Amino acid sequence: MDYSYIFRSAKIKIDSLKEAGFSKGENSTYSMQLPLSKDDLFAKLTLSPAEQTFLIQVFDSATDERYVLFDMPNARGAFLASLREEVQKIVEKIKSACFEVHDLKEEYLSWLSSHFSAEPDFPWPDTPDYCVFRCPNEKWFALVMKIKFRQLGLKGEEEVWVVNMKAKSETIPELIDRKSIFPAWHMNKKHWITILLTAATDFEKLCQLTEKSYALVK
């Protein structure tokens, strides 16, 4: 199963991988095997910092055959649910030990308030996580919200803070890298973009793009 979404919310600490139990292989790929509590199964973790991929496969210890049901999203059942929960805990442990984890939301909100003298507005009572920042003309130039990675076309149900902002339509194709900058979620993709508020995002670039959004809206 693909857990590469971890690279969208955190920066990897290469020096910590060996201490965590990973072994370095070819092409700077790191791998590790961990026993699982379910029916003599084990998990094989493969992590590539260069490719920004993190894959986990489950195998039968007795036969070394891959337990393919684990990788099938539509496969259901109490056993699989418990197995996926156990693997998810492994992912979170690796994330905590080997990645720099923090979101930029509070830092970004503080910068918005101080830089533009703008205060957050919460126009939707049913979605208290959504706030907008407005220009003096009352049009908003930034929408901060929490969505799921899958809503950006990424795998994973983890929630992440993002901001929607305006950009010149001719620059949007070159801005989008699908790592920290994406086509706008739930807005006109010709004029708006969505940026992750995570450790993987360049804060200086985030601020520069916000200033451009403000100028366009103003």
Side-chain angles (χ1 to χ4, degrees):
M1 189 170 289
D2 192 345
Y3 293 89
S4 302
Y5 70 83
I6 195 172
F7 284 95
R8 308 295 177 256
S9 59
K11 288 183 179 179
I12 192 167
K13 298 184 290 186
I14 301 293
D15 295 341
S16 68
L17 293 175
K18 184 177 180 181
E19 184 178 349
F22 283 95
S23 298
K24 188 176 180 179
E26 297 180 358
N27 301 320
S28 297
T29 297
Y30 295 79
S31 61
M32 175 169 53
Q33 291 186 10
L34 293 173
L36 299 171
S37 63
K38 309 297 181 185
D39 290 353
D40 295 324
L41 299 176
F42 70 89
K44 181 179 180 181
L45 289 64
T46 305
L47 193 153
S48 173
E51 299 295 330
Q52 294 197 337
T53 58
F54 183 28
L55 305 176
I56 298 181
Q57 295 176 316
V58 174
F59 292 84
D60 187 308
S61 301
T63 64
D64 274 346
E65 292 183 354
R66 188 157 65 95
Y67 186 65
V68 294
L69 285 177
F70 175 76
D71 298 307
M72 299 172 62
N74 294 329
R76 296 287 187 269
F79 178 82
L80 272 173
S82 179
L83 177 61
R84 287 171 179 154
E85 183 179 355
E86 183 176 359
V87 172
Q88 185 63 44
K89 288 180 180 179
I90 292 174
V91 173
E92 295 304 319
K93 185 176 180 180
I94 296 299
K95 184 176 180 181
S96 177
C98 303
F99 287 79
E100 177 187 344
V101 183
H102 69 273
D103 66 55
L104 300 176
K105 180 208 170 190
E106 294 305 324
E107 183 180 357
Y108 182 61
L109 292 181
S110 177
W111 179 82
L112 285 170
S113 295
S114 62
H115 193 76
F116 298 105
S117 298
E119 294 302 320
D121 179 24
F122 299 87
W124 302 289
D126 294 336
T127 51
D129 287 334
Y130 286 38
C131 67
V132 300
F133 286 80
R134 302 179 186 274
C135 293
N137 62 10
E138 290 302 309
K139 294 182 179 179
W140 57 268
F141 63 93
L143 165 60
V144 176
M145 55 190 168
K146 183 184 284 186
I147 62 176
K148 293 185 177 182
F149 276 105
R150 64 172 172 76
Q151 292 171 301
L152 295 174
L154 300 172
K155 293 184 178 181
E157 291 296 314
E158 183 179 353
E159 291 186 324
V160 61
W161 288 102
V162 302
V163 56
N164 276 9
M165 64 181 65
K166 199 164 190 178
K168 290 184 178 180
S169 57
E170 62 269 24
T171 67
I172 288 179
E174 64 187 47
L175 286 174
I176 292 171
D177 57 16
R178 296 188 184 275
K179 295 180 179 178
S180 59
I181 304 177
F182 297 81
W185 180 75
H186 213 55
M187 292 188 66
N188 189 325
K189 293 175 173 53
K190 291 183 179 180
H191 303 287
W192 297 83
I193 56 177
T194 295
I195 303 179
L196 298 181
L197 297 179
T198 72
T201 299
D202 183 328
F203 189 76
E204 183 177 352
K205 185 175 183 179
L206 170 67
C207 295
Q208 291 172 351
L209 291 173
T210 306
E211 288 174 336
K212 291 179 180 179
S213 177
Y214 184 91
L216 286 170
V217 174
K218 183 180 179 181

